[in-house]
């Protein structure tokens, strides 16, 4: 487009556009011009009021932005839902199948759920390793036109969560979406939107801290499906040797360890050769582990003198509940408390949850907490935007300085950037859309278009001054004559984003913040460019036009209404 505007468009204009002796404006533009000229005159008469209006709009934008909230990326509406079902560690496959079947039957009673199917355990290719106590229940939903009137996706997810708690209370379920769950797991390492990562040395202390944090987070509005990682729940056979009794019979701890190895995995006592093949000969015990430790106490231990001593005489044998899994990260044991965000923006919920957890308990020495998931990636992306946005603004300012060779005039032109931000922030607040990385990209695109309108206006005013007009008369005449180009630029860019702003198709959730920012920002930037910028230019920059030559030859004629 840049190359064609410098080569093809001038040629086509010379061939197609025929000079006319009389210039006529359209009816719509005439009405706009007739309304705008008196308004501009009042702005020049009451400069303080015009500037005060601009400052007030900036204050409104700051107030709206402080309550806007933020998130990493908007959640996509995939059209289907998923329930992450978690049971106590060590649950049998038959128990998983039974509860999954009950859960599917209960979910199918919801009118919007057409099909429900579960998947438990890990596939042959362990791309998604899960234990037998874990399963995912996929729900295929009906078309949105068949839903009950007024029902939203958040309402349906809440109803599904209530169904899981009511029909299968023994299952800890979290409602998500298939792609969203997989993306969270791949990107953040957890299947939920946010994760509180607790690091420490003692698993029991981590479990206690996690339970307190989970109870606190459940009271935060917007936090849903709060779950604590199951680190306990398996039964262990614990054999504690008594060294004094072992020494009395001439036994050692190694003798007890051999018997323990025989109980657990088997003790290798030799090898069997069959041709070139070699096999280990393993001795194992035959015990059903029905919860009775009495038979285990009678297992024999042979001393050096040949005396047989029962295991129960030299060791304590009990069944205890121990850890189901031990997760580690950053050279420390880790416990995860994860939850989803529903009905509110991500950063507000996380900030409230963080403050509530810090008030509820103080971590012991050697323990620390980190917040991960989508919130962590939002902070990383925001940090990159804090670098990219100043660079983009700096480049815009540098190009303005190259165009005018005046730092004062470049700064005046740069005032369009906060004016454009006003409309973008207010538009997000009106539509109830939190700030996201998509909206941040929209602001970057908006800054260039907003500065372009001011550049068109001020450059033409400088040409008029170079042709002999007064400073005040030049900016007033330039504003009137450049009304159509400024409006056209803003309308064309805004109308191009209207389909993105109003779309409800899959994937539109990511496009909507960007389009909203651009449309709202262009509206405010256009109004303030046509009213406030001329006033500020006439008020604060009366000397900038005489120190630098014009960028282009002065116009040979001026006709009111010429575009």
């Amino acid at each position: 487009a840049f190359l064609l505007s410098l080569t093809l468009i001038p040629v086509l204009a010379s061939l197609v556009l025929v000079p006319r002796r009389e210039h006529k404006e359209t009816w719509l533009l005439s009405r706009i011009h007739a309304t705008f000229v008196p308004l501009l005159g009042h702005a020049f008469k009451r400069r303080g009021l015009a500037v005060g209006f601009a400052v007030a709009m900036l204050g409104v934008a700051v107030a709206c932005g402080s309550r806007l909230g933020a998130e990493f990326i908007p959640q996509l509406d995939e059209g289907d839902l998923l329930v992450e079902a978690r049971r106590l560690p060590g649950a049998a496959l038959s128990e998983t199948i039974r509860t999954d079947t009950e859960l599917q039957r209960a979910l199918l009673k919801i009118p919007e759920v057409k099909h429900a199917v579960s998947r438990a355990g890990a596939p042959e290719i362990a791309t998604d390793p899960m234990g037998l106590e874990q399963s995912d229940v996929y729900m295929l939903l009906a078309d949105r036109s068949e839903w009950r009137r007024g029902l939203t996706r958040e309402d349906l997810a809440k109803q599904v969560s209530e169904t899981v708690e009511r029909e299968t209370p023994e299952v800890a379920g979290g409602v998500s979406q298939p792609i969203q769950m997989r993306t969270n797991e791949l990107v953040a390492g957890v299947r939920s939107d946010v994760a509180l990562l607790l690091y420490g040395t003692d698993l029991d202390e981590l479990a206690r801290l996690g339970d307190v944090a989970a109870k606190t987070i459940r009271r935060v509005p917007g936090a849903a499906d709060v779950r604590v990682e199951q680190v306990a729940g398996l039964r262990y056979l614990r054999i504690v040797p008594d060294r004094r009794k072992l020494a009395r019979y001439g036994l050692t701890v190694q003798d007890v360890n051999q018997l323990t190895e025989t109980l657990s995995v088997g003790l290798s006592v030799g090898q069997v050769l069959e041709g070139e093949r070699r096999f280990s000969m393993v001795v194992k015990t035959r015990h059903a582990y029905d919860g009775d430790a009495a038979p285990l106490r009678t297992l024999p231990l042979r001393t050096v003198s040949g005396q047989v001593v029962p295991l129960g005489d030299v060791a304590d044998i009990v069944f205890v509940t121990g850890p189901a899994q031990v997760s580690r990260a950053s050279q420390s044991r880790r416990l995860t408390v994860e939850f989803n965000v529903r009905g509110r923006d991500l950063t507000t919920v996380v900030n409230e949850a963080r403050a509530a957890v810090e008030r509820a308990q103080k971590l012991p020495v050697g323990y620390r907490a980190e917040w991960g998931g989508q919130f962590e990636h939002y902070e990383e992306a925001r940090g990159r935007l804090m670098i990219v946005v100043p660079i983009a603004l700096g480049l815009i300012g540098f190009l303005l300085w190259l165009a005018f060779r005046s730092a004062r005039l470049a700064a005046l032109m740069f005032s369009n950037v906060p004016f454009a931000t006003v409309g973008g922030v207010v538009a997000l607040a009106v539509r109830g859309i939190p700030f996201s990385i998509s909206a941040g990209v929209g602001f970057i695109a908006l800054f260039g278009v907003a500065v372009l309108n001011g550049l068109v206006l001020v450059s033409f005013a400088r040409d008029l001054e170079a042709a002999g007009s007064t400073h005040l008369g030049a900016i007033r005449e330039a504003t009137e004559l450049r009304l159509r180009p400024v409006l056209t630029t803003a309308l064309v860019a805004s109308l191009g984003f209207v389909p993105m702003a109003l779309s409800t198709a899959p994937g539109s959730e990511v496009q909507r913040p960007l389009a909203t920012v651009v449309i709202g920002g262009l509206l405010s930037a256009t109004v303030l460019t046509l009213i406030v910028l001329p006033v500020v230019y006439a008020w604060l920059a009366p000397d900038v036009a005489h120190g630098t030559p014009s960028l282009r030859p002065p116009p040979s004629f001026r006709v009111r209404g010429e575009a």
Side-chain angles (χ1 to χ4, degrees):
F2 176 74
L3 295 177
L4 292 179
S5 64
L6 297 178
T7 56
L8 178 62
I9 300 302
V11 175
L12 294 178
S14 65
L15 297 176
V16 177
L17 299 181
V18 179
R20 293 182 296 178
R21 296 181 180 179
E22 184 180 1
H23 176 79
K24 294 183 180 180
E25 294 180 346
T26 61
W27 174 84
L28 179 60
L29 189 60
S30 299
R31 296 299 299 267
I32 295 176
H33 192 274
T35 305
F36 171 72
V37 171
L39 182 61
L40 182 63
H42 289 298
F44 276 108
K45 292 179 181 179
R46 298 174 176 84
R47 298 179 179 179
L49 182 61
V51 176
F53 171 75
V55 175
M57 291 298 295
L58 289 176
V60 171
V62 172
C64 293
S66 61
R67 302 178 180 180
L68 199 58
E71 59 186 1
F72 179 47
I73 54 174
Q75 289 187 0
L76 298 179
D77 187 1
E78 303 174 19
D80 297 323
L81 292 178
L82 174 141
V83 174
E84 305 170 43
R86 300 294 180 266
R87 301 158 189 84
L88 292 177
L93 178 60
S94 57
E95 178 67 15
T96 300
I97 295 176
R98 183 189 66 81
T99 54
D100 277 348
T101 303
E102 294 180 359
L103 185 57
Q104 293 174 46
R105 291 173 179 172
L107 293 175
L108 287 175
K109 297 178 182 179
I110 301 177
E112 286 73 20
V113 179
K114 294 299 182 183
H115 302 282
V117 61
S118 64
R119 182 178 64 87
E124 295 182 358
I125 301 177
T127 55
D128 183 21
M130 296 191 306
L132 295 179
E133 74 279 359
Q134 303 174 347
S135 62
D136 296 331
V137 181
Y138 295 84
M139 289 171 287
L140 180 62
L141 304 180
D143 189 79
R144 186 62 66 92
S145 60
E146 303 177 13
W147 287 21
R148 286 166 287 176
R149 178 173 298 180
L151 186 68
T152 63
R153 181 170 62 92
E154 288 74 15
D155 297 334
L156 181 59
K158 183 178 180 180
Q159 185 175 354
V160 169
S161 179
E162 294 174 351
T163 301
V164 174
E165 295 179 2
R166 182 179 64 255
E167 300 295 336
T168 54
E170 69 273 18
V171 174
V175 182
S176 180
Q177 300 180 103
I179 300 178
Q180 177 187 351
M181 180 270 296
R182 188 67 59 219
T183 303
N184 288 340
E185 186 176 24
L186 293 175
V187 174
V190 294
R191 295 191 169 194
S192 301
D193 296 336
V194 186
L196 170 59
L197 307 176
L198 297 172
Y199 295 91
T201 56
D202 186 72
L203 288 178
D204 294 335
E205 181 66 16
L206 286 176
R208 186 190 67 81
L209 295 175
D211 292 338
V212 174
K215 294 178 181 178
T216 305
I217 294 174
R218 287 189 180 99
R219 294 193 292 266
V220 176
D225 308 328
V226 183
R227 292 170 294 170
V228 182
E229 181 182 3
Q230 290 285 348
V231 296
L234 289 183
R235 296 194 68 193
Y236 287 86
L237 173 63
R238 187 176 181 87
I239 301 177
V240 184
D242 189 331
R243 296 181 180 272
R244 294 182 179 180
K245 295 180 179 179
L246 288 174
R248 185 184 307 165
Y249 292 105
L251 297 172
T252 62
V253 176
Q254 181 63 28
D255 297 328
V256 179
N257 287 341
Q258 288 184 355
L259 186 56
T260 304
E261 184 179 354
T262 305
L263 287 170
S264 58
V265 296
L267 177 64
S268 177
V269 295
Q271 292 183 340
V272 177
L273 299 178
E274 292 184 1
E276 297 181 353
R277 295 183 297 176
R278 179 177 298 178
F279 304 94
S280 296
M281 182 182 299
V282 179
V283 177
K284 295 184 178 181
T285 59
R286 186 176 182 179
H287 190 271
Y289 298 107
D290 55 359
D292 185 10
L296 300 178
R297 295 189 178 95
T298 61
L299 293 176
L301 288 173
R302 186 176 296 275
T303 64
V304 178
S305 60
Q307 181 182 1
V308 177
V309 179
L311 179 62
D313 291 350
V314 294
D316 295 330
I317 302 175
V318 292
F319 286 98
V320 297
T321 301
Q325 65 179 19
V326 180
S327 301
R328 299 185 63 87
S330 302
Q331 300 180 350
S332 179
R333 291 180 175 180
R334 184 194 69 188
L335 178 72
T336 303
V337 181
E338 54 185 284
F339 61 93
N340 294 321
V341 177
R342 193 175 302 143
R344 299 182 69 190
D345 65 279
L346 179 70
T347 57
T348 301
V349 174
V350 174
N351 291 333
E352 292 183 5
R354 174 188 290 174
V357 170
E358 291 177 354
R359 289 194 304 266
Q361 62 180 350
K362 184 177 181 181
L363 296 179
V365 178
Y367 293 79
R368 69 182 190 277
E370 296 179 0
W371 293 85
Q374 295 289 340
F375 177 75
E376 179 184 2
H377 291 274
Y378 162 75
E379 290 189 328
E380 295 177 356
R382 185 184 62 177
R384 286 191 289 269
L385 282 179
M386 296 298 291
I387 299 175
V388 174
V389 172
I391 291 176
L393 295 178
L395 291 176
I396 293 175
F398 178 70
L399 292 177
L400 291 175
W401 178 82
L402 287 180
F404 296 105
R405 297 293 180 176
S406 171
R408 186 177 182 183
L409 189 55
L412 179 62
M413 295 289 302
F414 204 76
S415 63
N416 267 9
V417 170
F419 292 163
T421 306
V422 169
V425 172
V426 173
L428 290 176
V430 170
R431 300 196 65 185
I433 301 176
F435 177 82
S436 61
I437 304 304
S438 176
V441 175
F443 277 111
I444 296 176
L446 173 63
F447 294 156
V449 181
V451 172
L452 175 63
N453 284 337
L455 183 63
V456 170
L457 187 65
V458 175
S459 61
F460 187 66
R462 298 188 66 207
D463 288 338
L464 294 178
E465 291 185 51
S469 298
T470 63
H471 180 73
L472 180 59
I475 189 60
R476 290 194 62 170
E477 189 172 358
T479 305
E480 296 178 17
L481 296 181
R482 284 295 176 260
L483 176 63
R484 179 163 57 184
V486 172
L487 291 179
T488 302
T489 302
L491 286 176
V492 168
S494 299
L495 294 177
F497 283 96
V498 168
M500 296 173 60
L502 302 180
S503 175
T504 57
S508 61
E509 293 84 359
V510 177
Q511 304 172 358
R512 195 175 299 126
L514 188 150
T516 301
V517 165
V518 174
I519 294 175
L522 286 179
L523 292 178
S524 66
T526 302
V527 173
L528 296 174
T529 298
L530 292 175
I531 297 178
V532 179
L533 183 62
V535 172
V536 178
Y537 179 83
W539 195 359
L540 301 179
D543 58 336
V544 294
H546 303 288
T548 306
S550 176
L551 298 179
R552 58 183 178 181
S556 57
F557 61 92
R558 288 175 291 170
V559 180
R560 182 169 298 277
E562 177 192 357

PDB file of all heavy atoms in Angstrom, residues 68 422-436 439-440 443 512-514 516-517 520:
ATOM      1  N   LEU A  68     -10.297  -1.535  35.574  1.00  0.00           N
ATOM      2  CA  LEU A  68     -10.537  -2.339  34.382  1.00  0.00           C
ATOM      3  C   LEU A  68     -10.232  -3.816  34.600  1.00  0.00           C
ATOM      4  O   LEU A  68     -10.925  -4.696  34.097  1.00  0.00           O
ATOM      5  CB  LEU A  68      -9.695  -1.789  33.224  1.00  0.00           C
ATOM      6  CG  LEU A  68     -10.105  -2.165  31.812  1.00  0.00           C
ATOM      7  CD1 LEU A  68     -11.531  -1.714  31.544  1.00  0.00           C
ATOM      8  CD2 LEU A  68      -9.155  -1.533  30.794  1.00  0.00           C
ATOM      9  N   VAL A 422      -7.568   7.497  25.838  1.00  0.00           N
ATOM     10  CA  VAL A 422      -8.813   7.772  26.560  1.00  0.00           C
ATOM     11  C   VAL A 422      -9.950   6.942  25.983  1.00  0.00           C
ATOM     12  O   VAL A 422     -10.670   6.228  26.697  1.00  0.00           O
ATOM     13  CB  VAL A 422      -9.141   9.279  26.500  1.00  0.00           C
ATOM     14  CG1 VAL A 422     -10.556   9.531  27.002  1.00  0.00           C
ATOM     15  CG2 VAL A 422      -8.144  10.072  27.313  1.00  0.00           C
ATOM     16  N   GLY A 423     -10.160   7.032  24.680  1.00  0.00           N
ATOM     17  CA  GLY A 423     -11.266   6.301  24.065  1.00  0.00           C
ATOM     18  C   GLY A 423     -11.109   4.802  24.168  1.00  0.00           C
ATOM     19  O   GLY A 423     -12.098   4.079  24.369  1.00  0.00           O
ATOM     20  N   GLY A 424      -9.873   4.296  24.015  1.00  0.00           N
ATOM     21  CA  GLY A 424      -9.674   2.858  24.110  1.00  0.00           C
ATOM     22  C   GLY A 424     -10.000   2.320  25.486  1.00  0.00           C
ATOM     23  O   GLY A 424     -10.667   1.287  25.626  1.00  0.00           O
ATOM     24  N   VAL A 425      -9.555   3.028  26.530  1.00  0.00           N
ATOM     25  CA  VAL A 425      -9.816   2.570  27.901  1.00  0.00           C
ATOM     26  C   VAL A 425     -11.303   2.658  28.226  1.00  0.00           C
ATOM     27  O   VAL A 425     -11.887   1.731  28.809  1.00  0.00           O
ATOM     28  CB  VAL A 425      -8.981   3.396  28.893  1.00  0.00           C
ATOM     29  CG1 VAL A 425      -9.377   3.070  30.326  1.00  0.00           C
ATOM     30  CG2 VAL A 425      -7.500   3.135  28.693  1.00  0.00           C
ATOM     31  N   VAL A 426     -11.942   3.762  27.848  1.00  0.00           N
ATOM     32  CA  VAL A 426     -13.366   3.917  28.134  1.00  0.00           C
ATOM     33  C   VAL A 426     -14.187   2.869  27.381  1.00  0.00           C
ATOM     34  O   VAL A 426     -15.160   2.321  27.910  1.00  0.00           O
ATOM     35  CB  VAL A 426     -13.824   5.346  27.774  1.00  0.00           C
ATOM     36  CG1 VAL A 426     -15.336   5.475  27.893  1.00  0.00           C
ATOM     37  CG2 VAL A 426     -13.142   6.360  28.679  1.00  0.00           C
ATOM     38  N   ALA A 427     -13.801   2.576  26.126  1.00  0.00           N
ATOM     39  CA  ALA A 427     -14.527   1.568  25.353  1.00  0.00           C
ATOM     40  C   ALA A 427     -14.425   0.195  26.004  1.00  0.00           C
ATOM     41  O   ALA A 427     -15.409  -0.556  26.073  1.00  0.00           O
ATOM     42  CB  ALA A 427     -13.990   1.522  23.921  1.00  0.00           C
ATOM     43  N   LEU A 428     -13.246  -0.162  26.510  1.00  0.00           N
ATOM     44  CA  LEU A 428     -13.105  -1.437  27.218  1.00  0.00           C
ATOM     45  C   LEU A 428     -13.973  -1.467  28.476  1.00  0.00           C
ATOM     46  O   LEU A 428     -14.605  -2.484  28.778  1.00  0.00           O
ATOM     47  CB  LEU A 428     -11.638  -1.672  27.588  1.00  0.00           C
ATOM     48  CG  LEU A 428     -10.664  -1.980  26.449  1.00  0.00           C
ATOM     49  CD1 LEU A 428      -9.242  -2.095  26.990  1.00  0.00           C
ATOM     50  CD2 LEU A 428     -11.045  -3.261  25.725  1.00  0.00           C
ATOM     51  N   ALA A 429     -13.999  -0.342  29.212  1.00  0.00           N
ATOM     52  CA  ALA A 429     -14.801  -0.299  30.427  1.00  0.00           C
ATOM     53  C   ALA A 429     -16.293  -0.390  30.128  1.00  0.00           C
ATOM     54  O   ALA A 429     -17.038  -1.073  30.846  1.00  0.00           O
ATOM     55  CB  ALA A 429     -14.491   0.988  31.203  1.00  0.00           C
ATOM     56  N   VAL A 430     -16.747   0.281  29.055  1.00  0.00           N
ATOM     57  CA  VAL A 430     -18.172   0.248  28.714  1.00  0.00           C
ATOM     58  C   VAL A 430     -18.600  -1.154  28.322  1.00  0.00           C
ATOM     59  O   VAL A 430     -19.687  -1.627  28.701  1.00  0.00           O
ATOM     60  CB  VAL A 430     -18.461   1.260  27.597  1.00  0.00           C
ATOM     61  CG1 VAL A 430     -19.869   1.074  27.047  1.00  0.00           C
ATOM     62  CG2 VAL A 430     -18.288   2.682  28.109  1.00  0.00           C
ATOM     63  N   ARG A 431     -17.768  -1.863  27.589  1.00  0.00           N
ATOM     64  CA  ARG A 431     -18.117  -3.212  27.142  1.00  0.00           C
ATOM     65  C   ARG A 431     -17.797  -4.279  28.177  1.00  0.00           C
ATOM     66  O   ARG A 431     -18.081  -5.456  27.959  1.00  0.00           O
ATOM     67  CB  ARG A 431     -17.396  -3.544  25.838  1.00  0.00           C
ATOM     68  CG  ARG A 431     -17.702  -2.625  24.681  1.00  0.00           C
ATOM     69  CD  ARG A 431     -17.270  -3.221  23.365  1.00  0.00           C
ATOM     70  NE  ARG A 431     -18.040  -4.415  23.051  1.00  0.00           N
ATOM     71  CZ  ARG A 431     -17.795  -5.198  21.982  1.00  0.00           C
ATOM     72  NH1 ARG A 431     -16.811  -4.890  21.150  1.00  0.00           N
ATOM     73  NH2 ARG A 431     -18.518  -6.267  21.760  1.00  0.00           N
ATOM     74  N   GLY A 432     -17.187  -3.887  29.287  1.00  0.00           N
ATOM     75  CA  GLY A 432     -16.869  -4.857  30.329  1.00  0.00           C
ATOM     76  C   GLY A 432     -15.774  -5.826  29.941  1.00  0.00           C
ATOM     77  O   GLY A 432     -15.768  -6.980  30.386  1.00  0.00           O
ATOM     78  N   ILE A 433     -14.813  -5.379  29.140  1.00  0.00           N
ATOM     79  CA  ILE A 433     -13.718  -6.232  28.679  1.00  0.00           C
ATOM     80  C   ILE A 433     -12.463  -5.858  29.458  1.00  0.00           C
ATOM     81  O   ILE A 433     -12.060  -4.696  29.443  1.00  0.00           O
ATOM     82  CB  ILE A 433     -13.475  -6.053  27.173  1.00  0.00           C
ATOM     83  CG1 ILE A 433     -14.736  -6.404  26.383  1.00  0.00           C
ATOM     84  CG2 ILE A 433     -12.302  -6.903  26.706  1.00  0.00           C
ATOM     85  CD1 ILE A 433     -14.603  -6.165  24.880  1.00  0.00           C
ATOM     86  N   PRO A 434     -11.827  -6.777  30.156  1.00  0.00           N
ATOM     87  CA  PRO A 434     -10.587  -6.444  30.869  1.00  0.00           C
ATOM     88  C   PRO A 434      -9.424  -6.260  29.905  1.00  0.00           C
ATOM     89  O   PRO A 434      -9.457  -6.722  28.759  1.00  0.00           O
ATOM     90  CB  PRO A 434     -10.377  -7.659  31.787  1.00  0.00           C
ATOM     91  CG  PRO A 434     -11.073  -8.782  31.092  1.00  0.00           C
ATOM     92  CD  PRO A 434     -12.248  -8.174  30.385  1.00  0.00           C
ATOM     93  N   PHE A 435      -8.391  -5.596  30.393  1.00  0.00           N
ATOM     94  CA  PHE A 435      -7.188  -5.417  29.584  1.00  0.00           C
ATOM     95  C   PHE A 435      -6.501  -6.762  29.392  1.00  0.00           C
ATOM     96  O   PHE A 435      -6.399  -7.572  30.315  1.00  0.00           O
ATOM     97  CB  PHE A 435      -6.233  -4.438  30.269  1.00  0.00           C
ATOM     98  CG  PHE A 435      -4.937  -4.259  29.535  1.00  0.00           C
ATOM     99  CD1 PHE A 435      -4.842  -3.394  28.463  1.00  0.00           C
ATOM    100  CD2 PHE A 435      -3.810  -4.977  29.919  1.00  0.00           C
ATOM    101  CE1 PHE A 435      -3.649  -3.236  27.793  1.00  0.00           C
ATOM    102  CE2 PHE A 435      -2.615  -4.821  29.250  1.00  0.00           C
ATOM    103  CZ  PHE A 435      -2.531  -3.950  28.185  1.00  0.00           C
ATOM    104  N   SER A 436      -6.028  -7.002  28.186  1.00  0.00           N
ATOM    105  CA  SER A 436      -5.325  -8.241  27.867  1.00  0.00           C
ATOM    106  C   SER A 436      -4.202  -7.918  26.888  1.00  0.00           C
ATOM    107  O   SER A 436      -4.050  -6.779  26.442  1.00  0.00           O
ATOM    108  CB  SER A 436      -6.288  -9.276  27.266  1.00  0.00           C
ATOM    109  OG  SER A 436      -6.854  -8.791  26.056  1.00  0.00           O
ATOM    110  N   ALA A 439      -5.571  -6.475  23.775  1.00  0.00           N
ATOM    111  CA  ALA A 439      -5.861  -5.045  23.869  1.00  0.00           C
ATOM    112  C   ALA A 439      -4.583  -4.220  23.821  1.00  0.00           C
ATOM    113  O   ALA A 439      -4.569  -3.122  23.240  1.00  0.00           O
ATOM    114  CB  ALA A 439      -6.628  -4.758  25.157  1.00  0.00           C
ATOM    115  N   GLY A 440      -3.507  -4.714  24.407  1.00  0.00           N
ATOM    116  CA  GLY A 440      -2.237  -3.998  24.344  1.00  0.00           C
ATOM    117  C   GLY A 440      -1.732  -3.841  22.922  1.00  0.00           C
ATOM    118  O   GLY A 440      -1.221  -2.777  22.541  1.00  0.00           O
ATOM    119  N   PHE A 443      -3.661  -1.065  21.308  1.00  0.00           N
ATOM    120  CA  PHE A 443      -3.179   0.271  21.657  1.00  0.00           C
ATOM    121  C   PHE A 443      -1.963   0.654  20.806  1.00  0.00           C
ATOM    122  O   PHE A 443      -1.831   1.807  20.384  1.00  0.00           O
ATOM    123  CB  PHE A 443      -2.823   0.331  23.139  1.00  0.00           C
ATOM    124  CG  PHE A 443      -4.002   0.583  24.034  1.00  0.00           C
ATOM    125  CD1 PHE A 443      -4.474  -0.400  24.883  1.00  0.00           C
ATOM    126  CD2 PHE A 443      -4.646   1.811  24.024  1.00  0.00           C
ATOM    127  CE1 PHE A 443      -5.557  -0.174  25.708  1.00  0.00           C
ATOM    128  CE2 PHE A 443      -5.739   2.046  24.844  1.00  0.00           C
ATOM    129  CZ  PHE A 443      -6.197   1.055  25.691  1.00  0.00           C
ATOM    130  N   ARG A 512     -11.879  -9.308  19.824  1.00  0.00           N
ATOM    131  CA  ARG A 512     -12.780  -8.267  20.317  1.00  0.00           C
ATOM    132  C   ARG A 512     -12.062  -7.174  21.109  1.00  0.00           C
ATOM    133  O   ARG A 512     -12.335  -5.981  20.893  1.00  0.00           O
ATOM    134  CB  ARG A 512     -13.882  -8.907  21.157  1.00  0.00           C
ATOM    135  CG  ARG A 512     -15.070  -7.988  21.413  1.00  0.00           C
ATOM    136  CD  ARG A 512     -16.166  -8.725  22.155  1.00  0.00           C
ATOM    137  NE  ARG A 512     -16.645  -9.854  21.366  1.00  0.00           N
ATOM    138  CZ  ARG A 512     -16.695 -11.105  21.821  1.00  0.00           C
ATOM    139  NH1 ARG A 512     -16.291 -11.377  23.037  1.00  0.00           N
ATOM    140  NH2 ARG A 512     -17.149 -12.073  21.056  1.00  0.00           N
ATOM    141  N   PRO A 513     -11.138  -7.471  22.045  1.00  0.00           N
ATOM    142  CA  PRO A 513     -10.462  -6.371  22.748  1.00  0.00           C
ATOM    143  C   PRO A 513      -9.658  -5.477  21.820  1.00  0.00           C
ATOM    144  O   PRO A 513      -9.666  -4.254  21.976  1.00  0.00           O
ATOM    145  CB  PRO A 513      -9.554  -7.108  23.751  1.00  0.00           C
ATOM    146  CG  PRO A 513     -10.161  -8.457  23.908  1.00  0.00           C
ATOM    147  CD  PRO A 513     -10.760  -8.785  22.588  1.00  0.00           C
ATOM    148  N   LEU A 514      -8.962  -6.068  20.843  1.00  0.00           N
ATOM    149  CA  LEU A 514      -8.166  -5.260  19.921  1.00  0.00           C
ATOM    150  C   LEU A 514      -9.049  -4.310  19.133  1.00  0.00           C
ATOM    151  O   LEU A 514      -8.758  -3.109  19.016  1.00  0.00           O
ATOM    152  CB  LEU A 514      -7.390  -6.192  18.978  1.00  0.00           C
ATOM    153  CG  LEU A 514      -6.347  -5.576  18.058  1.00  0.00           C
ATOM    154  CD1 LEU A 514      -5.239  -6.576  17.783  1.00  0.00           C
ATOM    155  CD2 LEU A 514      -6.947  -5.135  16.725  1.00  0.00           C
ATOM    156  N   THR A 516     -12.090  -3.255  19.856  1.00  0.00           N
ATOM    157  CA  THR A 516     -12.723  -2.279  20.747  1.00  0.00           C
ATOM    158  C   THR A 516     -11.786  -1.131  21.066  1.00  0.00           C
ATOM    159  O   THR A 516     -12.183   0.042  21.079  1.00  0.00           O
ATOM    160  CB  THR A 516     -13.176  -2.979  22.036  1.00  0.00           C
ATOM    161  OG1 THR A 516     -14.093  -4.030  21.718  1.00  0.00           O
ATOM    162  CG2 THR A 516     -13.847  -2.006  22.980  1.00  0.00           C
ATOM    163  N   VAL A 517     -10.529  -1.444  21.320  1.00  0.00           N
ATOM    164  CA  VAL A 517      -9.553  -0.405  21.631  1.00  0.00           C
ATOM    165  C   VAL A 517      -9.359   0.534  20.449  1.00  0.00           C
ATOM    166  O   VAL A 517      -9.343   1.772  20.600  1.00  0.00           O
ATOM    167  CB  VAL A 517      -8.217  -1.059  22.040  1.00  0.00           C
ATOM    168  CG1 VAL A 517      -7.085  -0.045  22.008  1.00  0.00           C
ATOM    169  CG2 VAL A 517      -8.333  -1.662  23.427  1.00  0.00           C
ATOM    170  N   GLY A 520     -12.744   2.719  19.810  1.00  0.00           N
ATOM    171  CA  GLY A 520     -12.922   3.733  20.842  1.00  0.00           C
ATOM    172  C   GLY A 520     -11.815   4.766  20.840  1.00  0.00           C
ATOM    173  O   GLY A 520     -12.068   5.973  21.006  1.00  0.00           O
TER     174      GLY A 520
END
